[in-house]
Amino acid sequence: MPDILSLSKLKILIISHNRIQYLDLSVFKFNQELEYLDLSHNNLEKISCHPTLNLKHLDLSFNPFDALPICQEFGNMSQLEFLGLSATQLQKSSVQSITHLHISKVLLVLGDTYGEREDAESLQDLKTQSLHIVFPAGKEFHFILDVSVSTTVSLELSNIKCVLDDNGCPYFENVLSKLQKNSRLSNLTLNNIEITWNSFFTILQLVWRTNIEYFSISNVKLQGYLDSRDFDYSDTSLKALSIHKVVHDVFSLPQGYVYKILSNMNIQHLTVSAAHMVHMVCPSQISPFLYLNFSNNLLTDTVFINCTNLANLKTLILQKNQLKELVNIVHMTQEMKSLQQLDVSQNSLMYDESEGNCPWARNLLSLNMSSNILTDSVFRCLPPQIKVLDLHNNRIRSIPKDVTGLETLQELNLASNSLAHFPGCGIFSSLSILIIDYNSISNPSADFFQSCQKIRSLKAGNNPFQCSCELRDFIQSIGQVSSDMVEGWPESYKCDYPESYKGTPLKDFQVSELSCNTALLIITIVVPGLVLAVAVTVLCIYLDLPWYLRMVCQWTQTRRRVRNVPLEELQRTLQFHAFISYSGHDSAWVKNELIPNLEKEDVRICLHERNFVAGKSIVENIINCIEKSYKSIFVLSPNFVQSEWCHYELYFAHHNLFHEGSDNLILILLDPIPQYSIPSSYHKLRALMAQRTYLEWPKEKSKHGLFWANLRASINIKLMEKAAEIN
């Protein structure tokens, strides 16, 4: 616990279900903002108090305290709303320090040894609106504790076991009889009860005569046999009775008697759920029932058939029973003139159109038939004034187009069916809420929102959407409505097909207008084609394309001619040591530096201005000069890469068939050439500069002699080797 000392802003601390045995509350002295502290389900036997805490929620329940762990300092917790306590002994003096506090809820867990020394009045001075007392589990109820705390409005008692006495449960009956003293008590809940059938109805009769308005019993185990007796329904304040989760071990029980007592109760709300109830009889007279909940039982279609005494009933819940024929349910409700809400979900209901019309109760507004085995035909058997309809998790594939009489329907749930399309709003003119997720919808209609003007909530996610042009229109329509209207957008809306888009959120699915519009696609292809044809024609005329074609033809013819001439004959035609290619902007350096330094050593140079033959094409002259020269020297500079003819000369020299495979190129870098300045079409130059070693013209005069020596040596060495071969 030392770790929390530094958490000065701590407000909530839950350390329940541990093995804490001792607690010194001073450990929280630096946590002045702590409001919620849960220490339940530990091994605490003692606590050391500290005056600084002012909690709203303190839970010390389910710990092995002997006496109530109430410190004197608890009286200063003016904001305390919930207090959980544990003890095996109760004394009135133990609670004196908090009797002035008005606590919203108190939970008191009594230890296994409670009852040996018992102070019946120990809780009478408590001031709490809600009191929950947990008696020792598995122990016969022989307690005299008075639980009729005067300020309590809601009382909950857990772990009531009374099975040893066949004549009843006198101790617990005595506790209940004292509740009459508390005129404010209106809610009573009993949990985890193990009693006899006779005691059950005795307890029910006792509560019937108190001021309690809402009585709930849950987790009930009944034993023994039931003696027939009259039940007195008079003088009751009870409005609602709820009995949940009942088990019994008697199979020869007079069920008709039990059903008669329950059906004739003069209360407004009755719930009997998870009680293995196989039937329920019709009340013997006009019943005040407004609400009946018989969910999770074994009721069949015969329940309440021809029952005319439920005319006041507004809500009937028959969820999770053994109902099978929808027509029988329809006839059951026909006599329930006030029925507005019906829940028959999680049954095995089916409907056959051949069984005739469906005369539902006229006032039925809300109908839940989810989780059955209903098909498309169910839309021909619906109440005429229905407003809320739940048909999710059935076997519906489509909604018949000729269905009528559903103009009042406002909310429709068709989730988890097999629908392939959105329902149109022509049938449901008042529809405002549509739930249609988990179906088989792949291409929802793009005009859904336009045709369903009253829709204010749509839930259509988790469908196998096919991401296509049709879906693109639907996605665009979602963008035109309020973001709150489409529930689950965008996380529940994903592409399922094609495979390349599977899992892609619809909001991220992009497809161009061009690919979805055939007419636009044709126009886009034809018009640029025509423009391109006109542009090519103009360029051919403007750029003299025929000349370039002739140049390519001459190059091809020359290559063919060279292939047919033996190597020895080609060698005898050599006239020059080197052919020099350069840009006109670099001619001054070539004429003043390069040529003089080479020709003074008897090197024969081929230049275009003095060796090209008049009358021949430029391409043919270039090819001839390259073929008649041992080497091709290229003077590289930024000016060189801007010259188209220099590019051609480099290309032809690189592909000279006579020198194929040999080192026939010499590159001289006159000025640095940045890589980005080389046009993309000069890929040959890029490759050559990356692969070959070139001579760089030095700016320092002292290095010029070495440059010329290297250049002449490369030419002279090759020339001498070649001359020897010629001779």
Side-chain angles (χ1 to χ4, degrees), residues 361-380:
R362 291 185 174 274
N363 295 318
L364 191 58
L365 302 178
S366 177
L367 176 59
N368 187 345
M369 296 191 292
S370 62
S371 299
N372 282 285
I373 51 176
L374 297 167
T375 61
D376 305 356
S377 60
V378 70
F379 285 94
R380 305 188 190 280

Side-chain angles (χ1 to χ4, degrees), residues 527-538:
V527 171
L530 291 174
V531 173
L532 180 61
V534 172
V536 169
T537 303
V538 172

Side-chain angles (χ1 to χ4, degrees), residues 158-170:
S158 297
N159 298 337
I160 312 299
K161 183 178 181 180
C162 191
V163 295
L164 298 180
D165 193 342
D166 293 335
N167 297 321
C169 190

Side-chain angles (χ1 to χ4, degrees), residues 135-148:
F135 290 96
K139 192 172 184 179
E140 190 76 9
F141 195 96
H142 287 154
F143 310 118
I144 59 173
L145 181 66
D146 189 348
V147 297
S148 59

